[in-house]
Amino acid sequence: MKPGYSIRARLVLGAALVLLAFLAGAGAAVKRAHAQSVLSERYAQLQSTVYLLLSHAELDDAGRLVMPMTLAEPRLSVPQSGLYAGIYNVNREEQWRSLSTLGVSPPFRLRGLAPGEWRTEVLEGGGRPYIAVSYAVNWAVAGKQAPLVLSVVEDQADFNHELAVFARTLWAWLGGAAVLLLVAQSLLLAWAMRPLRQVIREVRRIEGGEQARIEGRYPMELSGLTDNLNTLIQQERDRQVRYKEALSFLAHSLKTPLAVLRNALHEPAGLPQAVREQVARMDDIVGHQLGRAAASGAARFAPPVKIAPVLQRVREALVKVYSDKGIEIEVDCSPELAWRIDEGDLFEILGNLMDNAAKWASRRVIARAARDARGLHIAIEDDGRGFAAETEALLRLHVRGDERVPGHGVGLANVNDIVRSHAGELQLLRSELGGARVLVSLPDGT
C-alpha cells in the first residue's frame, strides 16, 4: 500500500495556518488600535490649535473679528501646509481663514453647532479627506457677545502616511516572527517525531530479518503501539511454528498407519478391519494436527467473548447426548464474564473438557468460570472415578484413561495445545466430588 499522506506535513501545514491566522488577526487588531490611537492624538493636537485660535481672537467696536497676521502655529501661516483654520462670526456672517488656505478650499464646518459643542470628524473637500475639529462658543469682548464657530482641519495624507509606515514595520516584524516560529515548530516536530522514525526503521529491520522484535525504548504514547506490534509479530511466528510442527508431526504420525495398511494388503481377510481402524486413526491424527495448527493463540485484538453463553450451549448439547445417563450438568459463571479469545478455541476447550467429564461422570458435572487478578480460570469437575493414569501421559495424543470407554485420546491433547498457545496452563486434579477436576488457567494479556 502506497503512503497516503505525511503526518509531519499535515502538522506543519496546520501549525502554519493557525499561526498565520493568529498573526493576521493580531496584526489587524494592533494596526486598528494604532490607527485609533494616532487619530485620537491628531484630534487632540487640532483641539489645541482651536484653543490657540481662541487665545488670539478679538472683536472690534463694530463686533468684527480681528485676528493677528501670524500665529504661534507656523503651519497656519504657510500656504498649503496641510493644516488649515477658519473662524465664522455668525452675527456678521463673516469668515476668517488662515494664510495656509491660499490655493485650497478646506471643508470647514462653520454652522450647525450649539455653543460649547465640540465635533471631531473626517470631512471631504476637493476630493481629499481631512481630519476636522470644530468648536462653537459665545465670545464676549468689552461687554459685547458674538457667537463664533472655530474649525481646524488637517490633510489626512500625513495621517495615512504614518499609518502606512507603521503597517509596513508591523507586518515585516510579524512576518519575520512567523518564519522563525515555523522554523522552530519544524525543528520541534522533527525532534518529537524521532521515535516514530525509529519505530519505522526497526520495523524495516524486522522485515529484512535483521532483528526479531522491536527493542528500543519509546515514550509512553508509543509504548502501547510497540508492545502490540511485538505481540502481533510473536503471534505470527508462533502460528508459523505451529503450522510447521503440525506438518512435521502429521508426516511422522501417518507413517505407522500407512505401513499397517500396506502390510494388510498381504492379508485380505483382515483388510476391512485394518482399513477401518487405520482410517479412524489417521482421521484423529489429521484432526488433532489441524486443530493444533489452527489454534488462534493469545488474541489481544479479538473482541471479548462472553463465557456464560458458550457454557450453556455446550451444556444443552451434552444433556441431549447423554440423556440416557441422566447426568446433572451445572454451570456456574457470571453472565457478564468475558474474555479476549477466539470463539472457536473457547468451544474446543469447553466442548472437549465437558464432554470428557460427562462421559466419565456418574451423576453430576460442574463447570465453573471466574476471573481474578491473575486471569481467567475454568474448572470442569465430575463425580466419576478420576484419573487412573499418569496425568502427564494423558495430555499426549492417543493416550486414554481407560481403554474400555469409547474414545481416541485426542481431546485432552487438543485442549492442552490450545491452552499452551494462549500461554495458559492445564492441570489435571482430584475433584471434591470424588472424580476428576480439570483446571484451565489463562493469564490476563490485556
Side-chain angles (χ1 to χ4, degrees):
M1 182 181 294
K2 295 182 179 179
Y5 57 86
S6 167
I7 294 179
R8 180 176 180 180
R10 280 194 167 193
L11 290 175
V12 170
L13 178 61
L17 292 177
V18 172
L19 179 62
L20 291 177
F22 172 77
L23 291 180
V30 171
K31 182 180 176 182
R32 180 168 181 171
H34 176 262
Q36 291 176 345
S37 174
V38 172
L39 184 60
S40 298
E41 182 182 353
R42 292 297 176 108
Y43 282 141
Q45 291 174 356
L46 296 180
Q47 196 173 30
S48 298
T49 305
V50 170
Y51 287 128
L52 174 66
L53 295 177
L54 286 174
S55 66
H56 289 82
E58 296 289 345
L59 293 176
D60 62 10
D61 294 338
R64 291 188 296 268
L65 181 65
V66 179
M67 294 293 293
M69 292 297 295
T70 60
L71 297 170
E73 172 55 69
R75 293 175 63 195
L76 293 177
S77 301
V78 179
Q80 301 182 23
S81 64
L83 181 65
Y84 312 103
I87 302 176
Y88 181 65
N89 189 344
V90 177
N91 289 340
R92 298 187 62 86
E93 296 186 355
E94 63 176 344
Q95 182 179 357
W96 171 88
R97 291 191 175 194
S98 64
L99 295 177
S100 59
T101 61
L102 292 175
V104 294
S105 298
F108 295 117
R109 179 175 292 282
L110 302 176
R111 292 179 176 82
L113 295 179
E117 179 183 356
W118 286 92
R119 181 169 295 182
T120 58
E121 57 192 332
V122 175
L123 300 175
E124 291 285 337
R128 299 176 63 86
Y130 292 85
I131 300 171
V133 172
S134 305
Y135 179 62
V137 63
N138 279 330
W139 196 244
V141 177
K144 297 179 181 179
Q145 289 189 351
L148 303 179
V149 178
L150 299 92
S151 182
V152 179
V153 300
E154 183 180 20
D155 195 324
Q156 199 173 348
D158 290 341
F159 171 76
N160 291 337
H161 176 70
E162 182 178 351
L163 293 185
V165 171
F166 176 80
R168 285 196 299 270
T169 304
L170 173 66
W171 293 120
W173 279 100
L174 288 179
V179 171
L180 289 177
L181 286 174
L182 286 175
V183 171
Q185 285 181 344
S186 298
L187 294 176
L188 286 173
L189 186 59
W191 174 72
M193 295 191 68
R194 185 182 300 170
L196 281 176
R197 294 195 297 271
Q198 178 65 23
V199 169
I200 293 172
R201 286 194 292 268
E202 288 210 57
V203 170
R204 287 176 179 169
R205 285 199 293 268
I206 292 172
E207 291 174 348
E210 300 175 27
Q211 65 185 62
R213 63 196 308 274
I214 295 177
E215 300 172 348
R217 293 185 60 188
Y218 294 96
M220 63 180 66
E221 291 80 3
L222 291 180
S223 60
L225 171 65
T226 55
D227 290 346
N228 288 340
L229 284 175
N230 281 333
T231 299
L232 285 174
I233 292 169
Q234 188 60 45
Q235 286 181 357
E236 182 59 28
R237 288 207 176 103
D238 291 343
R239 187 175 292 109
Q240 292 176 359
V241 168
R242 286 197 299 273
Y243 279 123
K244 289 179 181 178
E245 289 180 349
L247 291 175
S248 176
F249 291 152
L250 189 60
H252 178 75
S253 301
L254 291 178
K255 288 180 180 179
T256 300
L258 290 174
V260 172
L261 289 176
R262 279 195 299 268
N263 293 333
L265 292 175
H266 302 291
E267 300 178 4
L271 183 59
Q273 180 64 26
V275 169
R276 283 193 297 270
E277 291 177 356
Q278 299 309 315
V279 167
R281 182 177 179 85
M282 286 189 290
D283 184 61
D284 291 341
I285 292 171
V286 171
H288 170 68
Q289 297 300 344
L290 290 180
R292 213 178 142 189
S296 298
R300 176 179 293 185
F301 306 102
V305 177
K306 289 193 174 182
I307 308 296
V310 178
L311 282 170
Q312 290 294 342
R313 288 173 62 183
V314 174
R315 175 190 175 279
E316 291 170 3
L318 292 177
V319 167
K320 296 176 182 178
V321 171
Y322 295 99
S323 59
D324 57 330
K325 295 181 63 174
I327 297 175
E328 179 185 353
I329 302 177
E330 301 175 19
V331 171
D332 181 10
C333 178
S334 169
E336 303 303 321
L337 178 60
W339 192 257
R340 291 186 183 276
I341 186 173
D342 180 76
E343 192 174 35
D345 287 355
L346 183 59
F347 268 106
E348 186 73 14
I349 293 172
L350 296 178
N352 276 299
L353 295 183
M354 292 177 68
D355 180 62
N356 281 343
K359 185 186 302 180
W360 288 92
S362 298
R363 301 290 298 175
R364 190 180 181 193
V365 173
I366 301 177
R368 294 188 178 93
R371 181 176 184 174
D372 60 18
R374 294 175 297 172
L376 177 67
H377 303 284
I378 299 173
I380 310 296
E381 303 182 55
D382 63 72
D383 60 351
R385 293 180 297 172
F387 298 109
E390 292 292 333
T391 56
E392 291 185 4
L394 292 175
L395 299 179
R396 294 197 295 269
L397 183 65
H398 294 306
V399 176
R400 296 163 54 195
D402 190 341
E403 298 293 335
R404 294 170 298 178
V405 177
H408 302 285
V410 175
L412 278 179
N414 274 343
V415 171
N416 187 47
D417 286 337
I418 294 173
V419 171
R420 287 174 60 189
S421 72
H422 286 264
E425 182 182 8
L426 177 65
Q427 300 180 63
L428 305 182
L429 307 170
R430 187 73 178 175
S431 170
E432 295 180 356
L433 300 178
R437 181 171 186 263
V438 181
L439 177 62
V440 174
S441 299
L442 301 180
D444 191 347
T446 58

